[in-house]
Amino acid sequence: MEVTKDISLKPYNTFGIDAKARFFIEINNLEDLKTALQLKGYPNKFVLSGGSNMLITNDIDALVMHINLKGKEVIEENDNTVLLKVMAGENWHQMVLWTLDNGYGGLENMSLIPGNTGTAPIQNIGAYGVELKDNFVSCEAMHTETQSLKTFSKEDCQFGYRDSFFKNEGKGRYIITSVTLQLSKNNHKKNTSYGAIETELENMGISDPTIKDISNAVIAIRQSKLPDPAVLGNSGSFFKNPVINIEDYTKFIAQHPEAPSYKITDESYKIPAGWLIEQCGFKGKRYGDAGIHKNQALVLVNHGNATGQEILDLAFKIIAEVKKKFGINISPEVNIIK
């Protein structure tokens, strides 16, 4: 385990921002993590995982610890379910494909979400009507001060919409090292009612889909909307879908009856941020090398050499225009690293 200096983080973040880490260390096992957390003489310590849900706006004056913990293990199973422990550095999508190859159901709707498994609980990632919490059992995390491992139950994680304990009280205090999921082995609970999944399955000529079919449909939909970060720098959906109360929703839908919306509770509705942004005329626009994707207005992109600050300035511009036109506040889903 070696500390290196002035390392470009361009290969380590999906936006492809060419910021530097003043110090950098690769974490390949729990002992590496303990040792790194105990190192003295560094200005700060910064945890880097898959780099898929972040926008780096400056060089990072810290010891950047790249979490590269690998491994998948079935720790318990019966005729119907399996408990799968996945280490934090495993790529999420590759792990989902592995579960499907083994006949395990539950994660198929979350295919092709970028990033690593260890960051999934932080965001309570989700897509097409399914969230991580639906299959989540527990996670292990290391306390940054004491280096002790703690197991967090689903309740401990305080999951909300793209939210958790680890984004709030636990932020900076714990580093997730593994995630345990409960998946189905048969009688899979299939969710095909959200978004364009049913339409895509029809286009594929499938009326009774397997979990692999659902995954393939989700992958096709996402690929049609979302650019490959290896080709065009991006962090997937940049903004959260805003949730508004019934009073604001009633006013909004009266003025914009054509707007799509989703009922969350009797008192709240979700409005697609991509629709709001598109109505403001941003879809496909480019401002230097910072831009909005041509197929999905939720996605901000780096056309080559945009700085993180240029992308952040564009995000602020979009937020202001949406507020001005609709009176609705939208906020970033990605973590802004300043």
Side-chain angles (χ1 to χ4, degrees):
M1 191 177 72
E2 179 188 1
V3 176
T4 51
K5 293 182 178 181
D6 297 323
I7 298 298
S8 171
L9 295 175
K10 189 168 185 174
Y12 297 96
N13 73 98
T14 60
F15 256 120
I17 302 298
D18 192 15
K20 281 191 169 62
R22 185 176 172 191
F23 304 101
F24 183 91
I25 193 167
E26 195 84 35
I27 306 297
N28 295 312
N29 54 58
L30 293 180
E31 283 303 312
D32 284 353
L33 184 54
K34 283 183 182 178
T35 302
L37 287 170
Q38 291 168 355
L39 288 174
K40 308 295 184 187
Y42 294 96
N44 291 293
K45 294 189 173 80
F46 181 89
V47 179
L48 175 65
S49 185
S52 65
N53 194 49
M54 62 191 293
L55 176 64
I56 306 172
T57 60
N58 282 300
D59 291 342
I60 299 180
D61 184 19
L63 174 62
V64 173
M65 301 182 296
H66 181 232
I67 306 299
N68 194 36
L69 306 172
K70 300 291 189 183
K72 299 182 290 290
E73 179 189 5
V74 173
I75 56 175
E76 190 179 311
E77 67 179 309
N78 57 37
D79 291 343
N80 298 313
T81 62
V82 60
L83 285 187
L84 178 68
K85 182 178 180 179
V86 185
M87 298 304 289
E90 289 286 343
N91 176 272
W92 174 264
H93 177 59
Q94 294 304 318
M95 185 272 293
V96 171
L97 294 182
W98 182 89
T99 65
L100 295 169
D101 287 343
N102 282 275
Y104 305 148
L107 305 180
E108 54 277 2
N109 290 51
M110 294 189 286
S111 299
L112 212 63
I113 292 179
N116 288 352
T117 301
T119 50
I122 299 173
Q123 282 288 105
N124 183 27
I125 62 169
Y128 298 102
V130 177
E131 291 183 314
L132 177 77
K133 68 179 177 64
D134 300 329
N135 295 94
F136 182 91
V137 174
S138 64
C139 66
E140 285 187 331
M142 187 175 289
H143 194 284
T144 55
E145 293 295 325
T146 65
Q147 290 85 59
S148 59
L149 274 182
K150 178 177 177 179
T151 299
F152 288 81
S153 68
K154 185 186 295 190
E155 292 72 27
D156 293 334
C157 291
Q158 300 170 25
F159 289 129
Y161 173 56
R162 303 296 173 267
D163 200 18
S164 74
F165 166 83
F166 299 103
K167 285 187 81 170
N168 298 292
E169 304 100 292
K171 188 174 183 179
R173 292 171 54 203
Y174 289 95
I175 298 170
I176 296 171
T177 57
S178 69
V179 177
T180 299
L181 304 164
Q182 180 172 294
L183 306 175
S184 56
K185 292 172 67 175
N186 48 56
N187 299 319
H188 305 297
K189 184 181 176 184
K190 300 172 191 173
N191 187 332
T192 60
S193 61
Y194 196 98
I197 294 179
E198 284 186 344
T199 303
E200 186 64 34
L201 288 169
E202 285 175 16
N203 293 341
M204 295 162 68
I206 296 169
S207 57
D208 184 20
T210 64
I211 51 175
K212 186 69 173 174
D213 291 333
I214 294 170
S215 171
N216 289 338
V218 168
I219 290 169
I221 296 163
R222 290 183 72 94
Q223 286 179 335
S224 72
K225 292 182 177 181
L226 303 173
D228 182 348
V231 178
L232 186 62
N234 74 93
S235 194
S237 298
F238 193 91
F239 298 98
K240 296 179 190 176
N241 291 318
V243 176
I244 60 177
N245 62 41
I246 185 67
E247 184 180 344
D248 290 340
Y249 173 75
T250 303
K251 292 177 186 173
F252 169 78
I253 211 69
Q255 294 173 333
H256 307 282
E258 76 285 6
S261 62
Y262 303 96
K263 185 176 181 178
I264 305 299
T265 69
D266 287 342
E267 296 297 320
S268 61
Y269 284 78
K270 184 189 294 182
I271 312 296
W275 184 87
L276 298 171
I277 295 165
E278 189 171 344
Q279 299 310 301
C280 291
F282 283 107
K283 189 175 180 180
K285 288 283 184 70
R286 181 169 173 170
Y287 302 82
D289 271 3
I292 301 91
H293 193 243
K294 62 181 181 178
N295 294 338
Q296 174 52 272
L298 264 185
V299 179
L300 302 190
V301 297
N302 177 6
H303 285 284
N305 294 305
T307 65
Q309 189 59 51
E310 287 168 343
I311 291 171
L312 184 59
D313 289 344
L314 174 55
F316 286 146
K317 182 182 178 74
I318 291 168
I319 290 168
E321 283 298 315
V322 169
K323 176 69 173 177
K324 180 180 173 184
K325 185 175 179 68
F326 296 105
I328 292 176
N329 293 309
I330 61 171
S331 59
E333 181 175 319
V334 304
N335 295 306
I336 310 300
I337 310 302
K338 296 183 178 180

